[in-house]
Amino acid sequence: MKMYEHQAKDVFRKYGIPLAQGGVATTPEEAARIAGELNKPVVIKAQVLAGGRGKAGAVKFADTPEEAKQVASEILSMDVKGMKVEKVLVEEKLDIASEIYVGITVDRVKRMALVIASAVGGMNIEEVAASTPDKIVRHYINPAHGLYDFECRNIAKRIGLSEKQMNTTARIISALYRIYEDYDVELTEINPLAILSDGSVMAVDARLNVDDNALFRHPELREQASAGMDELSPLERRAKESGLVYVELDGDVGIIGNGAGLVMATLDVVQLFGGSPANFCDLGGGASPETTAEAIELVLSNPKVKVLFINVLAGITRCDEVAIGMLKTMEKVQAKTPMVVRMIGTNEEEGRRILTGAGIDVMDAMEPAAKRVVELLGGA
Amino acid sequence: MSILLHENARLIVQGITGYQGQFHTHQMKEYGTEVVAGVTPGKSGMDVEGVPVYDTVEEAMQEHDANTSIIFVPAPFAKDAGIESLEEGLDPVIVITEGLPVRDEIGLVNYAKEKGAHVIGPNTPGVISAGKSKAGIMPSHIFKPGSIGIVSRSGTLTYEIAADISNIGLGQTTCLGIGGDPVTGLNFIEVLEMFENDPETEAIIMIGEIGGSAEEDAAEYIKEHVTKPVAAFIAGRTAPPGKRMGHAGAIVAGDAGTAQAKIDALNAADVQVGSTPEEVAKIIKEQA
């Protein structure tokens, strides 16, 4: 779950990370009011879950409340990388002398969280890592004892800071670590963390992604989590609500399977034989008839789908449950879409019996089934 | 010989009284696995499929000489269950459960390292040593005793390739899923090392997918340390970047973790990558 910049900053503020003064506006008038209260030049930033807002022209400056109203009005009607701008963050413009980077993320290979810091801030950190890897400091967080304050000071020194800035930055890194623990963070970063011309340190941008698998223990975030679903298309959102994993693609072969790896492989094989997948849809393990029916309805509600390919190799899933779900939906949806079903595994005899009884042909091997799908496309 | 799970495996099933716990205890027993006890807090005294249930792993270990644990406990409690078993000296600890928070996975797998024990998973179908023992949820009838070792990030895709292996006249030594999450217990390299040292395993199949760098790292390891033939399949060639394809770990971030990068790395290590699951079986048959 990705937080908007202003939400991430609300969290940062709670943990004592220095931030610019400002407020969220949903109308140009509100933006003007905030600018008036701040009584200084402001920066107006689109609140969308996309990177590269600056380049997209979604971050602009304004010297007066009147200008702020105008700028906010422009940004609030923008579409940034497919996302509508509904809010802007209006903040005092800072006098920035230099920019650094600090963040915490998880290293899958080392199976640990780590702090990443760099004297080069304000740029895409992956580009910095690629072009000047020696400018990146990585410090792994020992899972047994967490991140000590002295380790944060070591990191701050390693990126060239000294005295007061070193201390403040160390405290900010420590705060990020506490946020990582408290919020089950997948990624949190401050890019840039600015050193102002008066020597003070301030977080200019804020990113906070919460591990979706941890949301069960953050009930207060659930509302935010559903609000942040604007990255998803309407069908993808509907799928998420039903507990299915569904990703929309561009083609005309609807695909449903059990298990992410198998479904990905099904997409790959269909494409290999000349078909074009319309979607990825994973029933997950042990799908009920209701989940199966919902998945079929979902996939078939995409008008681009010309043929439906259901590929089930049942382990924890049961073929009979899937078959019952298919029949449920056939009744409901009256699907005229040609379908190819491949089904083997747990309770396969029962599952086949149910389907062949309803006049549905069941294949047992994946490649021939995929080839049949592509043949049907020719006729569809 | 097999790896990790042998004829002498004696299982404790944590979460045995739940829907999945019960169903799979039955299936594992049918396969011939020695399931000695189950644990569900509050249900001591019950029995599931003739297996006695206890409140705690400590209690179960007082009565039974178990050496392996399989966990069906829901995600919010799975880390606790895993640590409980590791504390009692069980090894391996197999975490079937999907959806553990990454922070919990980090705590669990690092504790296992401290104990010198192995966590398999989370989000894994488990382990099967064909003809010997099954600690997992895979459909048993597709596996046949043989000489091919299989290691995978996937669940059902693993069964697909195992079935192709059996259909082509070969069989498996041990087949295991390391799990689909970003942070796992055993990784590809650790399992490849075990297969390389297992006298019964003659060839190895690696099943990977997009996201992360596990396959690239494995390719480096294979170049230096694996002498047995290895074939691979990489799922997700058609996946668009930035979209999570089901598994928490299956996401292409920027340029990293693409299927092509993995295929190239494996080819450079003399590992052929099949373009379909069936093709992988054919490749290994030629090489084994």
Side-chain angles (χ1 to χ4, degrees):
Chain A
M1 170 231 165
K2 295 180 181 172
M3 285 195 187
Y4 291 105
E5 179 193 358
H6 74 92
Q7 293 168 325
K9 282 182 168 169
D10 285 342
V11 175
F12 284 10
R13 195 170 293 115
K14 264 196 248 169
Y15 284 74
I17 294 176
L19 296 161
Q21 304 254 50
V24 176
T26 51
T27 66
E29 291 73 31
E30 251 187 288
R33 183 184 55 77
I34 296 170
E37 277 168 22
L38 290 169
N39 198 22
K40 38 170 95 152
V42 295
V43 60
I44 300 180
K45 311 163 87 169
Q47 298 297 283
V48 284
L49 296 175
R53 286 173 296 163
K55 284 200 192 118
V59 175
K60 291 202 167 88
F61 297 99
D63 284 331
T64 66
E66 210 28 62
E67 248 189 84
K69 187 168 165 193
Q70 175 58 36
V71 168
S73 159
E74 283 163 23
I75 297 180
L76 282 165
S77 55
M78 277 179 81
D79 185 292
V80 179
K81 302 194 180 169
M83 293 177 220
K84 274 187 64 207
V85 181
E86 287 175 3
K87 297 179 270 192
V88 290
L89 180 58
V90 181
E91 288 180 332
E92 53 175 336
K93 184 178 171 189
L94 298 170
D95 193 2
I96 298 173
S98 61
E99 298 179 329
I100 62 180
Y101 172 101
V102 294
I104 293 184
T105 187
V106 171
D107 185 321
R108 303 161 61 145
V109 179
K110 290 236 164 43
R111 299 139 169 171
M112 285 193 236
L114 79 159
V115 178
I116 300 179
S118 175
V120 181
M123 275 182 62
N124 184 319
I125 194 69
E126 272 134 24
E127 280 169 33
V128 178
S131 55
T132 46
D134 52 303
K135 292 263 186 329
I136 306 272
V137 169
R138 280 187 182 81
H139 179 90
Y140 287 92
I141 300 172
N142 186 318
H145 62 60
L147 187 67
Y148 284 114
D149 288 346
F150 76 84
E151 291 177 285
C152 299
R153 291 192 290 273
N154 283 341
I155 296 166
K157 286 192 72 101
R158 257 182 255 151
I159 59 172
L161 298 173
S162 56
E163 302 168 5
K164 199 158 155 262
Q165 286 159 9
M166 180 216 51
N167 272 325
T168 307
T169 302
R171 278 200 296 274
I172 290 170
I173 294 171
S174 175
L176 284 182
Y177 171 67
R178 278 175 286 119
I179 291 169
Y180 157 78
E181 287 280 322
D182 293 347
Y183 283 81
D184 277 299
V185 163
E186 240 172 22
L187 167 74
T188 183
E189 61 184 17
I190 302 176
N191 189 21
L193 178 62
I195 317 272
L196 306 186
S197 52
D198 67 0
S200 60
V201 180
M202 209 159 268
V204 172
D205 197 359
R207 230 172 125 185
L208 206 169
N209 297 349
V210 175
D211 179 5
D212 280 339
N213 281 346
L215 285 173
F216 70 84
R217 54 188 181 209
H218 298 282
E220 77 284 1
L221 293 181
R222 230 171 265 147
E223 206 191 283
Q224 271 184 25
S226 41
M229 289 212 277
D230 61 11
E231 285 192 296
L232 306 174
S233 74
L235 284 182
E236 287 173 347
R237 205 171 306 154
R238 180 176 148 194
K240 194 163 177 183
E241 279 156 18
S242 306
L244 290 164
V245 184
Y246 175 89
V247 179
E248 220 162 74
L249 301 166
D250 287 322
D252 52 14
V253 177
I255 293 179
I256 296 173
N258 65 312
L262 182 65
V263 178
M264 279 195 278
T266 307
L267 265 59
D268 296 343
V269 174
V270 162
Q271 178 143 310
L272 183 71
F273 292 148
S276 180
N279 68 278
F280 165 105
C281 183
D282 179 12
L283 291 172
S288 65
E290 290 70 36
T291 306
T292 307
E294 173 66 14
I296 296 173
E297 276 174 58
L298 197 67
V299 171
L300 291 182
S301 63
N302 173 356
K304 288 194 226 155
V305 171
K306 294 206 190 101
V307 178
L308 175 62
F309 183 13
I310 297 178
N311 185 11
V312 169
L313 204 175
I316 203 165
T317 299
R318 301 171 215 196
C319 292
D320 51 336
E321 305 265 285
V322 173
I324 293 168
M326 286 178 61
L327 293 193
K328 254 190 209 276
T329 214
M330 298 304 139
E331 284 165 21
K332 231 182 126 194
V333 163
Q334 297 282 41
K336 297 219 180 70
T337 314
M339 198 170 55
V340 175
V341 180
R342 181 277 183 122
M343 182 187 278
I344 63 170
T346 307
N347 293 5
E348 65 184 42
E349 270 164 40
E350 181 63 6
R352 276 157 184 275
R353 200 182 52 75
I354 294 171
L355 290 177
T356 49
I360 297 172
D361 193 25
V362 181
M363 299 180 72
D364 59 18
M366 185 167 144
E367 273 191 41
K371 287 188 179 135
R372 170 87 69 86
V373 167
V374 178
E375 272 167 39
L376 285 175
L377 268 178
Chain B
M1 172 60 182
S2 64
I3 66 169
L4 291 163
L5 193 76
H6 313 291
E7 292 100 329
N8 67 350
R10 287 181 302 283
L11 257 65
I12 287 185
V13 178
Q14 293 177 268
I16 192 171
T17 54
Y19 184 59
Q20 301 294 358
Q22 286 190 59
F23 180 78
H24 289 287
T25 296
H26 174 85
Q27 303 282 78
M28 289 187 287
K29 285 195 71 174
E30 237 182 44
Y31 193 71
T33 303
E34 216 187 316
V35 181
V36 300
V39 171
T40 296
K43 301 276 167 93
S44 192
M46 278 182 63
D47 89 70
V48 170
E49 304 281 331
V51 176
V53 181
Y54 300 88
D55 285 328
T56 64
V57 177
E58 184 183 281
E59 200 190 343
M61 290 296 277
Q62 279 160 5
E63 306 293 320
H64 306 274
D65 184 22
N67 52 22
T68 307
S69 166
I70 184 167
I71 295 177
F72 289 96
V73 171
F77 316 108
K79 176 192 170 188
D80 189 271
I83 305 258
E84 187 183 356
S85 276
L86 289 167
E87 277 285 286
E88 290 296 322
L90 296 171
D91 178 19
V93 172
I94 298 149
V95 185
I96 305 294
T97 312
E98 180 178 5
L100 268 75
V102 173
R103 225 161 42 89
D104 286 7
E105 293 177 336
I106 290 175
L108 180 62
V109 308
N110 281 284
Y111 186 64
K113 245 199 252 174
E114 251 181 73
K115 297 288 272 183
H118 306 97
V119 165
I120 299 176
N123 189 11
T124 173
V127 193
I128 182 169
S129 289
K132 294 174 183 155
S133 187
K134 169 173 112 158
I137 61 174
M138 51 283 280
S140 333
H141 61 278
I142 64 179
F143 295 88
K144 277 205 207 108
S147 61
I148 312 294
I150 303 179
V151 58
S152 172
R153 279 167 66 182
S154 168
T156 49
L157 181 57
T158 312
Y159 316 158
E160 182 75 54
I161 291 182
D164 289 328
I165 288 287
S166 300
N167 289 341
I168 211 169
L170 298 170
Q172 305 85 19
T173 47
T174 301
C175 178
L176 77 119
I178 60 174
D181 284 359
V183 173
T184 62
L186 284 175
N187 61 22
F188 276 139
I189 292 174
E190 288 157 340
V191 178
L192 287 166
E193 187 181 359
M194 291 180 192
F195 278 138
E196 176 71 10
N197 294 328
D198 172 35
E200 237 177 56
T201 299
E202 287 171 13
I204 305 163
I205 291 177
M206 211 177 92
I207 305 170
E209 57 193 48
I210 51 168
S213 63
E215 293 79 2
E216 292 89 324
D217 297 337
E220 280 302 306
Y221 180 80
I222 290 167
K223 244 192 249 176
E224 302 297 315
H225 298 105
V226 178
T227 60
K228 298 179 181 176
V230 183
F233 182 81
I234 303 293
R237 286 191 216 217
T238 44
K243 294 274 194 177
R244 190 182 118 164
M245 304 297 265
H247 283 155
I251 177 163
V252 172
D255 280 332
T258 63
Q260 197 56 52
K262 292 165 189 299
I263 292 166
D264 292 341
L266 287 164
N267 285 154
D270 272 330
V271 175
Q272 277 186 68
V273 181
S275 28
T276 69
E278 223 179 276
E279 209 193 320
V280 180
K282 293 191 184 123
I283 292 169
I284 211 73
K285 185 159 189 179
E286 279 166 35
Q287 301 190 328

